[in-house]
Amino acid sequence: MDWNKLLELTIYGVALASIYAIAASGLVVTYTTSGIFNFAHGAIGMLMAFAYWQVRVEWGWPTWLSLLVILGFVAPLTGAAIERVLIRNLRAAPLAVTLVVTAALMVGLMGLATVLWAPNRSRLLPGFYTGKTVTIANTIVTYQQLITIGLAVLLAIGLRSLFLWTRTGIAMRAVVDSRDLVALNGGRPVMLSTLSWALGAMLAGLAGILLASGPTGIGLAIEALTLVVINAYAAALFGRLRSIAFTFVGALVIGLVQQYSVGYNLTDNAFFNTQVVPVVPYLMLFVALLLLPEGRLRGAQLVHAIKIRVPSLRTSIFWGGVLVLAGWVISELVTGTNLTAVSKGVAIGIIMLSLVPLTGYAGQISLCQMTFAGVGAFAMSRIASSGTTVGFGSLGIGNGNPLGLLAAFVLAAAVGALIALPAIRLQGLYLALATMAFAVIMSSAFFEGGAIFGAGSTDAGAVQRPHFGFVSLNSNAAYLVFLTFVFGLVAVGVLALRRGPFGRRLLALRDSPAAVATLGGSPTRTKLLVFSLSAGLAGLGGALYGGVDRNVTAGQFSLFGPPGSLSVFVLAVVGGVATVSGPLLGGQLLMMTPVFFTWLGTKLKTDLTPYAQVLFGLAGIGLGRNPGGAVAEISTRFRALVMDRTVHESESETHDPPIEGLLRRDVPLGAPITPSQLQELDALLDLEEVSGIGRAGSR
Amino acid sequence: MAVLEVDDVSVTFGGLAALIGVDVVAEAGAVTGLIGPNGAGKTTLFNVICGLQRAKRGHVVLDGRDVTGARTFNRARRGLARTFQRLEVFGSLTTRENLLVAAEMQRNGRDPHAVAQEILSEVGLTEYADVHVDSIPTGLARLVELGRALATDPKVLLLDEPSSGLDEAETDAFGELLLRLAERGLAVLLVEHDVELVMRVCSQIYVLDFGEIIASGSPDEIRRSAAVQTAYLGSPLSANGSGR
């Protein structure tokens, strides 16, 4: 046994673990005090590392001043600003909305980083005390590693003291149990929440700077740095997003496992070493999620969403026809790259349609729809081919055989079921995290590396368009018409599903999983079915998307893309995942906005393309609060404009909050309120239940 | 015949005992009452019976079968249905759709639409059939929950404060409905704050206080029980009449 190597790897591992612990404890602090999981935590860390580079390297400020400015002012102010502007209003919002808003924030911040620091030059962040080392038992340890480990230890001690011995810390812990009680006892939960986000952003920033300046080889790369900070999410899950101590343990396990798997080549398999090892933290995130105990079934949430009318079969077929007609007109008017972009937008629209039953109806979040799309494209490239494709062999049944589309649906649905089987018992947030981990794992360990979409650095692979004998889809115009036809068909199908028993059950599941279970329905089975169906539809969309260019790359099916699962999810929500027209709009927004910005940029002689992503982020943040999305919002306003008074009157009649039920009864003034009425009022006003207060007080 | 037997059930939340060795039996064809002050553990007991809360100790026997380890939906499939104190309606669906969701989960060969229509008129919700449930008054939403439970064609019905939000006339009609359901052979377990209603429709009543059954018996026996008077008023009326 090479003890020196073991010691060296252990020190490296502990140093890496220290960074994870710093980032993860920031996440835990924000989650516990505000109850909102910050998906953008990694992006904040990345942004702060860039900001640090700006002052330290570009402006040449001394290290101490740079650190003070970024970690003492910029990061905490950013965190506090995010809390004040976005998070505070989300406290009573359903989980799906909070996830959309923070995911959109992540997209927006990454866009902002691209705008401010265009990735057209390499940026290097110097380490701390570069070249200075000490030797411990024949092993060279850098000052930076020692500082990193020291900072984590100080942080552990600091956080523990904060939570145990300071008024603020104790109040922060109390906010977790009952926000209202803290307020009643003179605490200021709102202030505490702002404080925790400031602290969280500072810790994310510190982790980002340590990672970017350390020997990890990541440097200043927007996506890579964001992803590595997200590695820390796994550590936070070890502590179930609550315990700082277990978070540190989790970070240690992840850091060591990662370093050992890098240091000891477990196999000689180069693919394993280059593609699987980097995603070890995500594999562990996935495992940590699966080890979580099954939560209690959630009860109903009081949410007043816009009522979206479900069109009849006849109406939906009519609009499907109109869509195909519009597709034909556009295909005659638009040419070249614009035609390609519109077509891709429709194909992405089909992938977004897969989120309608899953997110729009059942309220489940998936951040890996492009992964399923990639599986679909893979199936199409192998099945509907003449048998000459590389890697994994080929089951070719002829170029463009339409059965390839069926294969794409079936394979993606099967993969969907496979991931869902272990993950589906998780609720809300954890399912979203599991799908995100799955997207990163599949991207690195499956799509990239050449076996799937061809060898070489581009990882590109040919995907045939379906071929129907008598109808030729060879021209791009014809393919667009075909895509709109498929979109219409899938949309009519999704609406039919909504009108039927399965659609009803999905909405019931979203409204109250607990009630579904007490009626004899298995929430797990229903979720499994809808997840699988959704994956299948995304696979179908992916196969068709590949046909637009007749070629795909691994990057398109990654988490960040473009187009990427994250943007697909955010823009689907922006368009509206409760309607089938929302995805149509979302797909076009995703594909046409960059085209528009490029065009505008050439007119203004400046590069505006990065602004598209910022816009996506802003749109997601703005519209994420309205689960109806843009289309529903526009149509509601339009209808209100047309019908004005009548609509307002009928709305005020049907949108009575349930509290009216209590108030409307003819109860004489002064009649005592019964305990049950009091409880009902509590429930309606969303106050803590009496038993909850009793428990908190009895501790 | 006892269709539901709760045998020696205990539940703790952290260090706090929410239920301590509770025994309750619900007979087919009768309404059984469960009363007690706030925080006595009534809703926790319901959650244990239907499997939403795991018990630390004890058994739940449904229709002669031990279902203690069974999942919630499997208990429902064996004929257990319930309503909730804090509403658990499907707010984004209409009243009819709420009933349909329940009816469609049953595999008894009956047409769900016919079942839904029948129950709509039985619980008096025909007028609200196609209204979204989160826009109807709370009292009526409780009836939607009741209707939805009935649509599963249950053997045992757990009702958690179903009459709150109803006025006096509606409560009377509701009492009649409960008796009709019992006549059909249903075992109804009723948690209710309206003691008048409980005394009128129940043949057997259990009184829960601080997680323990402190009395059980016929309405008359409960009315006379010193333990019940102490729990509700602080001391038996016969002592000096002063309340807590």
Side-chain angles (χ1 to χ4, degrees):
Chain A
M1 179 107 194
D2 184 351
W3 289 105
N4 273 344
K5 185 175 183 183
L6 179 68
L7 185 65
E8 186 185 317
L9 288 175
T10 305
I11 291 170
Y12 268 73
V14 173
L16 185 63
S18 302
I19 304 181
Y20 289 161
I22 291 167
S25 42
L27 192 68
V28 171
V29 167
T30 50
Y31 181 72
T32 46
T33 41
S34 64
I36 286 166
F37 185 87
N38 184 13
F39 260 102
H41 195 66
I44 293 174
M46 173 274 299
L47 203 69
M48 291 309 137
F50 272 88
Y52 175 73
W53 173 86
Q54 182 72 38
V55 292
R56 175 74 189 85
V57 178
E58 194 76 344
W59 296 344
W61 294 9
T63 305
W64 67 268
L65 184 63
S66 308
L67 284 174
L68 182 73
V69 167
I70 299 301
L71 297 180
F73 294 97
V74 179
L77 287 178
T78 308
I82 291 171
E83 196 277 338
R84 286 298 289 264
V85 179
L86 297 180
I87 305 303
R88 189 166 294 181
N89 306 325
L90 291 180
R91 199 170 72 76
L95 180 77
V97 173
T98 68
L99 290 182
V100 171
V101 171
T102 55
L105 179 66
M106 177 164 159
V107 171
L109 290 179
M110 291 174 75
L112 184 67
T114 320
V115 169
L116 296 175
W117 297 284
N120 53 7
R121 55 180 275 208
S122 84
R123 296 180 180 83
L124 283 176
L125 206 52
F128 301 100
Y129 300 100
T130 325
K132 300 239 167 136
T133 57
V134 290
T135 307
I136 302 173
N138 292 332
T139 304
I140 296 166
V141 185
T142 64
Y143 272 30
Q144 172 140 1
Q145 286 170 330
L146 287 178
I147 292 171
T148 307
I149 297 169
L151 280 173
V153 172
L154 276 180
L155 178 71
I157 296 169
L159 285 178
R160 198 169 164 75
S161 321
L162 174 76
F163 287 132
L164 278 184
W165 296 313
T166 68
R167 269 183 75 93
T168 309
I170 291 167
M172 276 170 138
R173 273 163 57 212
V175 166
V176 184
D177 286 333
S178 170
R179 228 183 146 79
D180 299 318
L181 267 184
V182 171
L184 281 173
N185 285 304
R188 295 165 68 189
V190 171
M191 190 65 211
L192 293 171
S193 180
T194 312
L195 197 67
S196 74
W197 277 72
L199 183 62
M202 195 200 85
L203 293 173
L206 178 59
I209 291 170
L210 288 171
L211 277 170
S213 63
T216 45
I218 302 155
L220 282 166
I222 294 172
E223 287 181 12
L225 198 52
T226 307
L227 274 180
V228 176
V229 183
I230 295 178
N231 283 350
Y233 293 8
L237 276 173
F238 270 77
R240 295 198 189 152
L241 299 176
R242 300 230 177 262
S243 156
I244 296 277
F246 276 101
T247 299
F248 272 74
V249 173
L252 201 60
V253 171
I254 293 163
L256 288 175
V257 168
Q258 203 178 2
Q259 281 305 323
Y260 292 153
S261 51
V262 172
Y264 296 107
N265 282 339
L266 296 175
T267 70
D268 290 333
N269 187 332
F271 176 79
F272 183 85
N273 290 332
T274 58
Q275 303 302 135
V276 179
V277 166
V279 290
V280 160
Y282 284 89
L283 286 166
M284 296 182 75
L285 174 62
F286 204 71
V287 172
L289 284 165
L290 300 188
L291 293 179
L292 283 175
E294 194 163 0
R296 273 181 65 178
L297 285 173
R298 176 178 64 74
Q301 288 173 310
L302 279 173
V303 184
H304 288 277
I306 293 180
K307 298 290 174 303
I308 289 154
R309 262 188 242 161
V310 187
S312 66
L313 182 63
R314 192 183 294 203
T315 316
S316 50
I317 290 176
F318 170 78
W319 285 108
V322 170
L323 178 69
V324 177
L325 203 66
W328 175 72
V329 172
I330 291 169
S331 75
E332 293 292 315
L333 295 176
V334 181
T335 53
T337 50
N338 288 346
L339 180 59
T340 313
V342 174
S343 303
K344 280 187 180 173
V346 178
I348 292 288
I350 296 170
I351 297 170
M352 288 179 176
L353 269 180
S354 72
L355 286 168
V356 173
L358 186 70
T359 308
Y361 299 163
Q364 305 296 317
I365 306 270
S366 162
L367 296 177
C368 62
Q369 290 311 92
M370 281 310 281
T371 308
F372 297 133
V375 170
F378 165 68
M380 188 72 185
S381 77
R382 287 300 183 278
I383 306 284
S385 71
S386 54
T388 52
T389 38
V390 289
F392 267 85
S394 174
L395 303 162
I397 51 170
N399 271 337
N401 192 318
L403 285 178
L405 292 179
L406 183 68
F409 180 90
V410 172
L411 188 65
V415 173
L418 212 62
I419 146 120
L421 264 178
I424 209 79
R425 64 186 189 90
L426 302 169
Q427 297 187 32
L429 170 64
Y430 297 133
L431 182 62
L433 278 171
T435 55
M436 186 184 75
F438 183 67
V440 176
I441 294 166
M442 282 291 281
S443 186
S444 183
F446 186 71
F447 294 130
E448 289 167 15
I452 300 307
F453 293 131
S457 57
T458 56
D459 286 341
V463 178
Q464 300 293 329
R465 290 180 183 176
H467 184 72
F468 291 93
F470 55 95
V471 188
S472 167
L473 298 178
N474 274 334
S475 81
N476 288 346
Y479 195 59
L480 173 61
V481 179
F482 173 70
L483 286 175
T484 52
F485 174 75
V486 176
F487 184 97
L489 208 62
V490 174
V492 168
V494 166
L495 287 171
L497 177 98
R498 165 62 190 91
R499 287 189 303 270
F502 191 59
R504 278 192 282 276
R505 194 181 295 192
L506 292 181
L507 264 79
L509 185 72
R510 183 190 65 188
D511 286 349
S512 173
V516 167
T518 60
L519 295 173
S522 158
T524 309
R525 188 167 165 268
T526 309
K527 278 200 273 181
L528 187 66
L529 277 174
V530 69
F531 203 84
S532 200
L533 170 75
S534 168
L537 288 177
L540 174 71
L544 294 168
Y545 174 81
V548 178
D549 281 338
R550 293 194 174 89
N551 196 26
V552 290
T553 62
Q556 291 166 335
F557 306 113
S558 65
L559 181 64
F560 295 133
S565 292
L566 195 63
S567 297
V568 162
F569 175 76
V570 169
L571 282 170
V573 176
V574 167
V577 279
T579 61
V580 293
S581 40
L584 191 65
L585 177 69
Q588 291 304 321
L589 278 177
L590 184 56
M591 284 298 147
M592 294 309 287
T593 316
V595 174
F596 172 73
F597 275 85
T598 308
W599 171 81
L600 195 67
T602 47
K603 292 276 168 207
L604 301 173
K605 296 197 170 47
T606 172
D607 183 19
L608 293 177
T609 38
Y611 286 93
Q613 215 189 345
V614 180
L615 193 75
F616 293 160
L618 289 176
I621 290 164
L623 277 161
R625 286 158 212 235
N626 177 2
V631 171
E633 183 92 35
I634 293 165
S635 76
T636 310
R637 281 165 197 258
F638 180 72
R639 232 178 280 146
L641 205 69
V642 174
M643 297 193 261
D644 206 11
R645 283 190 74 85
T646 42
V647 168
H648 279 297
E649 276 162 17
S650 69
E651 266 187 352
S652 69
E653 200 169 332
T654 52
H655 284 258
D656 271 353
I659 197 165
E660 290 291 314
L662 272 178
L663 303 179
R664 212 183 278 155
R665 310 246 157 239
D666 293 325
V667 182
L669 276 178
I673 294 180
T674 66
S676 61
Q677 282 175 323
L678 201 62
Q679 278 180 349
E680 212 171 311
L681 263 170
D682 282 350
L684 288 167
L685 300 173
D686 212 18
L687 297 176
E688 287 292 315
E689 282 176 37
V690 176
S691 55
I693 291 172
R695 244 184 297 153
S698 65
R699 273 184 199 168
Chain B
M1 188 189 75
V3 201
L4 173 72
E5 290 167 65
V6 175
D7 179 25
D8 193 25
V9 161
S10 296
V11 172
T12 52
F13 294 125
L16 191 79
L19 292 177
I20 307 157
V22 170
D23 298 303
V24 166
V25 173
E27 304 275 344
V31 183
T32 306
L34 182 63
I35 59 174
N38 278 334
K42 304 183 295 286
T43 298
T44 305
L45 180 62
F46 269 21
N47 286 343
V48 169
I49 294 173
C50 74
L52 288 173
Q53 170 72 49
R54 201 169 280 277
K56 191 179 161 199
R57 210 180 60 205
H59 295 273
V60 177
V61 179
L62 184 63
D63 206 11
R65 203 187 269 260
D66 190 334
V67 294
T68 311
R71 285 173 171 261
T72 302
F73 64 87
N74 279 326
R75 298 182 196 209
R77 286 173 190 175
R78 296 196 183 285
L80 183 71
R82 75 168 284 184
T83 68
F84 295 83
Q85 181 198 0
R86 192 177 166 165
L87 281 175
E88 293 284 349
V89 284
F90 306 133
S92 48
L93 297 177
T94 64
T95 303
R96 187 192 302 280
E97 285 177 315
N98 265 264
L99 305 189
L100 274 175
V101 168
E104 279 158 359
M105 283 180 198
Q106 313 314 312
R107 294 162 191 160
N108 51 14
R110 295 189 61 193
D111 173 23
H113 289 269
V115 171
Q117 190 57 47
E118 194 180 297
I119 291 174
L120 277 172
S121 57
E122 176 161 25
V123 294
L125 283 172
T126 318
E127 198 187 327
Y128 293 89
D130 298 309
V131 179
H132 281 107
V133 174
D134 66 4
S135 30
I136 67 175
T138 318
L140 294 179
R142 290 196 185 280
L143 290 182
V144 175
E145 275 201 354
L146 172 64
R148 195 178 63 183
L150 290 176
T152 65
D153 195 14
K155 294 184 184 122
V156 180
L157 186 58
L158 312 179
L159 301 177
D160 203 344
E161 295 189 28
S163 85
S164 68
L166 298 182
D167 63 26
E168 212 177 310
E170 286 167 337
T171 306
D172 282 347
F174 183 74
E176 296 303 315
L177 176 64
L178 287 185
L179 290 172
R180 277 207 306 280
L181 292 174
E183 263 170 38
R184 257 193 249 161
L186 219 67
V188 180
L189 186 56
L190 175 70
V191 162
E192 190 49 72
H193 272 294
D194 184 342
V195 179
E196 279 310 305
L197 176 68
V198 174
M199 294 294 172
R200 187 151 52 87
V201 299
C202 296
S203 49
Q204 174 82 6
I205 297 172
Y206 292 87
V207 185
L208 200 59
D209 191 28
F210 286 110
E212 282 181 283
I213 297 285
I214 54 166
S216 66
S218 69
D220 273 346
E221 287 165 337
I222 293 301
R223 238 189 276 268
R224 287 195 300 269
S225 158
V228 177
Q229 287 168 15
T230 311
Y232 269 89
L233 302 171
S235 59
L237 283 174
S238 51
N240 54 18
S242 68
R244 169 158 68 177

